[in-house]
């Protein structure tokens, strides 16, 4: 369902060029749950932003459900991004002046869902991540792990077919981390496609497949080695 | 060296009052390294902000080196905060328009250290956390774990006597996390006092002492139980 072909990403800072991804070719099947691991700075978030249509490659192709993303217009791209993909950001990226429930409703708002349904569906997602008592807090009035959980609620509320989770448990205690993993597993059981960037090796080893990045390249892919 | 007596912290949001700390009494000795653990939302960061003189309790006393912090003037408070304490924030709190080296130099700048020495000491701290090749990047041009490491460099560059680390390894891979822990251990060996909030139970069990918070109260303190 997602296919990268010789994708490169070069950041430019003034005269300096930094290659964060140096030619990545990989495909993810529908319904697969993959862990993406690798050292800090190896290119995981950069790859996730390209897969989530939040950034474009410097060169190479990205085929999403067979369509070349580079050839899609802005409207079609944001339609795919808002409807089909749920993105859990490593830095949460919550809107500061909106409350937990208003942040969580955003994907539904873009899809034109009615107010009453938006509120009901958002409160369900908020309850699932254990944040019910904080639904009216703004992000500054939340703990680190509570902000992370609000970001998770917002990424799953519209039941997207693809969920891209960038470090979804980094700020959570073991028990809360397990609750979040149970939610992701349940979404996977429903046939959704999941990519999870994680530094938690225990979590990474439990998933169907494990891809290792290093210095902007794929160092290892557990699916390639026939078991 | 730090003593909390019946400290409460109540956040007020409009008409709603939320007690994040409900009467905490605890003391930390000089040279001790303590892990602070507990579920997401249990009050760990709130306690760390009070210990780091970044926030004041709603009631109760905080004695820092025997002095009642509530009675200190703003100048004396910021002097203690800038010279004696190094704070690693859970959300990093880097200044967006400053580069890695400029962010790291900040504590030395407040202490009036000369430019040449500031630069040299900052580059040493930056090299220690493995961020040398990124010293001129601004925070937006860094990965999540690189931002975390810049926040760590900034907290240790002025060799403070007390280091308060709020989740210092949440965004780091295992190897980089171990490098950071080695730095914290080395600082501890030099006689400094460390408090480390962490969700990593393996790390927490390695430290001299482990304090558990739950719902704004101390649920457990490993130092209290004679071994
Ligand atoms: N400014 C604020 N206004 C209202 N409530 C707040 C504010 N800051 C924190 N809280 C609440 O106080 C409680 C304690 O927050 P704190 O940040 O200390 O938790 P924590 O133990 O650090 O959690 P985490 O492990 O998720 O970082 C949380 O439930 C949070 O919602
Ligand atoms: N906007 C940018 N400009 C310049 N360099 C950047 C930019 N964003 C990221 N980088 C660099 O690209 C490299 C890859 O970054 P990326 O965020 O993908 O890493 P990561 O694998 O997610 O790391 P982490 O585990 O620390 O989150 C990093 O070394 C970083 O310094
Ligand atoms: Mg990242
Ligand atoms: Mg916290």
């Amino acid at each position: 369902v997602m296919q990268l072909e010789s994708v490169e990403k070069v950041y430019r800072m003034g005269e300096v060029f930094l290659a964060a991804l140096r030619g990545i070719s990989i495909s993810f099947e529908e319904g697969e749950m993959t862990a993406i691991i690798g050292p800090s700075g190896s290119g995981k978030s950069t790859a996730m932003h390209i897969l989530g249509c939040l950034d474009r490659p410097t060169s190479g192709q990205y085929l999403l459900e067979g369509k070349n993303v580079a050839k899609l217009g802005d409207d079609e791209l944001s339609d795919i991004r808002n409807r089909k993909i749920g993105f859990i950001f490593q830095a949460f990226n919550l809107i500061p002046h909106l409350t937990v429930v208003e942040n969580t409703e955003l994907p539904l708002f873009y899809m034109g869902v009615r107010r009453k349904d938006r509120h009901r569906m958002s409160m369900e997602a908020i309850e699932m991540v254990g944040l019910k008592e904080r639904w009216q807090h703004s992000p500054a009035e939340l703990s680190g792990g509570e902000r992370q959980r609000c970001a998770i609620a917002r990424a799953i509320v519209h039941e997207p077919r693809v969920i891209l989770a960038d470090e979804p448990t980094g700020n959570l205690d073991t028990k809360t981390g397990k609750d979040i993993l149970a939610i992701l597993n349940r979404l996977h059981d429903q046939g959704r496609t999941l990519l999870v960037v994680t530094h938690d090796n225990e979590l990474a080893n439990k998933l169907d497949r494990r891809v290792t990045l290093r210095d902007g390249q794929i160092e290892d892919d557990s699916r390639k080695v026939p078991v």
Side-chain angles (χ1 to χ4, degrees), chain A residues 18-52:
Chain A
L18 191 153
L21 293 179
R22 302 161 187 271
I24 301 256
S25 296
I26 191 164
S27 64
F28 301 97
E29 303 308 314
E30 194 160 358
E32 198 174 26
M33 190 167 178
T34 301
I36 299 190
I37 65 173
S40 171
S42 53
K44 305 179 296 295
S45 296
T46 301
M48 291 287 268
H49 282 72
I50 289 171
L51 288 163

